[in-house]
Amino acid sequence: MDKTRKFKILGVGFGPANIALAAALEESGLLKDAHFFERAKETTWQPGMLINNSDIQNHPLRDLVTPRNPKSHYSFTNFLHVKGRLFEYLNTGLSYPYRIEYEQYVCWVASHFKDHVSYGINISKIEPLFSESSKHDVISGYRVIDQDGNAYECEHLVVAPGRTRYVPVEFEPLLSDRVVHLCDYLPAVTELASGKLPERICVIGGSQSAVELTADLADRFPLAKIHAVHRAYGFRQKDVSPFTNEVYFPEFVDEFYQASDETRSSIRGDLHLTNYSSSDLDVLDALYRKIYVQKIQGKQRIFLHRRSFARPLITFDDGRTHMAVCSRDRADEVEMTFDLVVLATGFKDLGVGEGREKYPAVLSDLVRYSELDRSGVIQVNRDYSVSLQTGYGGQAKCFLNGLCESTHGMGDAGSFSLLSLRSSEIIESIRSTENDVSASMNGVKVDAA
Ligand SMILES: Cc1cc2nc3c(=O)[nH]c(=O)nc-3n(C[C@H](O)[C@H](O)[C@H](O)COP(=O)(O)OP(=O)(O)OC[C@H]3O[C@@H](n4cnc5c(N)ncnc54)[C@H](O)[C@@H]3O)c2cc1C
């Protein structure tokens, strides 16, 4: 007997993007047919970066539901109300809540859907299913396979694994508990604090995370020297102009999606500092003042290497890394040994070139049925579904939830701003296929989750 479990809708990943989808599915009456897989043991939100006092970067009302349904039970405002903190929160005068509080909010929303989530399940493979009744190879659903080889089938799949970490190629072979991407920051420093205290730490990158981590490391390890290496002249301020921030309006998605490749690339260049290689002013000021006070006291421990890059040279048996910190402008380079190297180097977008990937690894087996551009980059429809080659496309859709910044614009990846509305669009697209769904599943009975 075929023991494969079958669902109408499956989700890979249960981070903010698919948690928002679960809320929208419930409010649309479709949750009973949906199930999600999350590789972590429980819901978390960027747990490696939950640094004390750091705040979120989206307006708190652009939460998991409010732009889609301001009356939803799952709003940040209702979370504060349920937790009995609404008045105190308002009294803090915070424009942006602490990240630790927003993480609690994300977990609180997720907790409502625990019957629809399997935790500790890492989906390693996605395969298309083909309709037996069709003369052509029409894709009628998807099979997802977990780390233990268990298979699950569905009509519609929503892939929301978050973006792949970007690790510069020279650091890829060095990744360890002493050379870490920012996502592994807290476990790495917790481990480091339990042994011989570090003397020298390097932070690579020019993002807000790089600025926050430089300051956090200086507080955490009061005897260590912290070296921040970045390519730009200095840490830059984010473009938070309300005019530029209209890029996070829903209308922008259509405008961006319809633009030519050249126009998209030009707009992205324009908008880079709204989200990348830049920081909020409060974080920049705090670091600048921290360094200034160190200088007043004659105890400078934070050193900035502007217009520079780091070249790893030797890894010692104890995990320390010997690196050259090189100027981009002169032949200068200085060699130093670091107890810890933190790569605040961000995440990959879909595309080609440095810091991009043609498709996320989990889609490898689907790619041969997908439309690709001339460089082999997977193509995505306006409804966030993977565009299938002629002949393969049927009713069953595979959506990318939170990976489409290169086609759908800045509000797509790396931001809460539009994920509630994206959920609606995905549901609308699923609904549009509803009449033909049973045919597309070839009469297979679908389990309720
Ligand atoms: C430090 C940091 C701070 C940020 N702060 C903000 C902010 O303030 N405001 C903002 O708008 N955005 C912020 N972002 C961007 C943030 O990543 C997104 O807003 C949000 O987390 C995206 O949600 P997601 O569900 O797409 O991805 P993720 O949050 O990455 O969630 C993806 C989930 O999928 C799971 N998963 C991955 N692969 C698999 C698999 N194969 N099988 C099963 N499960 C899988 C992962 O374990 C994870 O739980 C921040 C990002 C970082 C790194």
Side-chain angles (χ1 to χ4, degrees):
M1 191 179 106
D2 178 11
K3 288 207 177 131
T4 305
R5 291 189 68 193
K6 298 180 173 72
F7 300 87
K8 181 165 169 182
I9 302 164
L10 281 181
V12 175
F14 202 58
N18 267 353
I19 297 170
L21 178 69
L25 285 169
E26 184 185 76
E27 291 168 13
S28 313
L30 290 174
L31 185 64
K32 60 182 182 342
D33 299 326
H35 198 79
F36 296 87
F37 298 108
E38 167 54 51
R39 74 170 159 218
K41 296 268 179 280
E42 57 190 356
T43 297
T44 51
W45 177 50
Q46 308 294 352
M49 280 290 291
L50 283 181
I51 300 169
N52 282 344
N53 299 327
S54 62
D55 57 12
I56 66 162
Q57 289 154 51
N58 56 296
H59 191 288
L61 295 186
R62 290 175 148 229
D63 56 21
L64 297 171
V65 292
T66 300
R68 175 182 60 76
N69 175 12
K71 294 180 179 171
S72 171
H73 176 76
Y74 303 113
S75 67
F76 180 62
T77 313
N78 191 39
F79 161 77
L80 291 171
H81 168 74
V82 168
K83 295 293 170 189
R85 289 206 294 263
L86 182 57
F87 280 95
E88 268 178 291
Y89 172 81
L90 294 174
N91 247 2
T92 63
L94 287 169
S95 303
Y96 298 97
Y98 292 121
R99 209 180 283 158
I100 51 172
E101 179 155 53
Y102 222 64
E103 201 249 357
Q104 286 183 10
Y105 159 64
V106 169
C107 295
W108 173 77
V109 178
S111 70
H112 293 78
F113 306 112
K114 50 183 185 303
D115 294 344
H116 294 270
V117 189
S118 298
Y119 287 95
I121 302 286
N122 185 31
I123 298 303
S124 49
K125 213 169 159 57
I126 295 172
E127 296 172 343
L129 297 168
F130 293 98
S131 166
E132 284 165 24
S133 60
S134 166
K135 288 195 186 116
H136 310 287
D137 290 337
V138 174
I139 292 178
S140 60
Y142 299 90
R143 178 184 294 121
V144 303
I145 300 168
D146 71 15
Q147 73 274 18
D148 300 321
N150 300 310
Y152 314 83
E153 291 179 4
C154 61
E155 296 164 9
H156 304 293
L157 185 63
V158 187
V159 180
R163 287 194 288 180
T164 308
R165 302 167 182 195
Y166 171 56
V167 174
V169 65
E170 64 275 24
F171 286 98
E172 270 173 17
L174 307 184
L175 285 177
S176 66
D177 53 1
R178 295 298 191 96
V179 178
V180 295
H181 185 265
L182 63 96
C183 288
D184 293 324
Y185 173 70
L186 282 179
V189 287
T190 307
E191 170 73 22
L192 202 59
S194 68
K196 180 174 171 286
L197 287 180
E199 292 171 12
R200 204 178 282 123
I201 299 175
C202 184
V203 178
I204 296 175
S207 58
Q208 169 137 349
S209 296
V211 180
E212 289 178 346
L213 293 178
T214 301
D216 186 71
L217 283 162
D219 292 343
R220 207 175 273 274
F221 299 112
L223 300 177
K225 294 192 167 72
I226 317 298
H227 291 261
V229 179
H230 41 272
R231 289 180 165 269
Y233 184 78
F235 285 129
R236 287 179 290 192
Q237 189 178 346
K238 220 171 238 182
D239 179 352
V240 289
S241 152
F243 298 100
T244 317
N245 267 346
E246 291 199 358
V247 69
Y248 297 108
F249 281 12
E251 300 78 39
F252 179 75
V253 181
D254 283 325
E255 184 184 333
F256 192 79
Y257 188 81
Q258 284 157 15
S260 66
D261 287 350
E262 291 71 33
T263 306
R264 281 185 194 159
S265 157
S266 168
I267 295 177
R268 292 192 82 186
D270 264 5
L271 296 175
H272 190 68
L273 291 183
T274 59
N275 202 28
Y276 297 111
S277 311
S278 57
S279 296
D280 289 329
L281 186 58
D282 58 337
V283 178
L284 291 173
D285 280 345
L287 181 65
Y288 197 85
R289 287 173 191 152
K290 193 183 284 289
I291 298 171
Y292 184 63
V293 170
Q294 290 182 356
K295 286 181 179 171
I296 294 172
Q297 294 170 330
K299 293 181 192 164
Q300 185 176 353
R301 292 187 302 103
I302 298 174
F303 302 94
L304 306 182
H305 300 265
R306 54 177 41 145
R307 290 194 59 79
S308 297
F309 62 95
R311 193 157 47 83
L313 300 171
I314 308 163
T315 304
F316 297 109
D317 288 345
D318 62 5
R320 289 177 309 144
T321 311
H322 193 65
M323 297 202 298
V325 176
C326 315
S327 162
R328 292 175 65 197
D329 306 317
R330 300 177 301 275
D332 299 1
E333 61 177 52
V334 47
E335 291 189 17
M336 285 179 271
T337 299
F338 296 98
D339 297 285
L340 176 69
V341 178
V342 184
L343 304 165
T345 43
F347 300 85
K348 293 183 185 176
D349 267 334
L350 297 183
V352 278
E354 196 190 2
R356 300 199 172 184
E357 61 185 356
K358 293 177 181 173
Y359 46 85
V362 74
L363 292 182
S364 302
D365 289 326
L366 203 58
V367 165
R368 85 178 86 138
Y369 308 101
S370 316
E371 294 274 9
L372 305 176
D373 73 5
R374 270 173 299 165
S375 325
V377 179
I378 199 163
Q379 299 298 287
V380 187
N381 297 314
R382 175 61 186 82
D383 67 357
Y384 302 95
S385 65
V386 171
S387 176
L388 296 170
Q389 288 170 30
T390 313
Y392 294 116
Q395 301 296 330
K397 297 196 176 187
C398 172
F399 299 93
L400 301 189
N401 192 4
L403 300 173
C404 303
E405 182 166 309
S406 52
T407 45
H408 290 64
M410 224 62 168
D412 193 78
S415 172
F416 272 72
S417 298
L418 290 177
L419 48 75
S420 62
L421 294 175
R422 200 162 66 224
S423 304
S424 298
E425 293 190 50
I426 291 173
I427 290 174
E428 230 170 82
S429 177
I430 290 174
R431 280 243 154 99
S432 72
T433 67
E434 245 169 20
N435 294 340
D436 300 312
V437 152
S438 33
S440 75
M441 275 305 276
N442 202 20
V444 175
K445 186 177 174 304
V446 173
D447 289 353

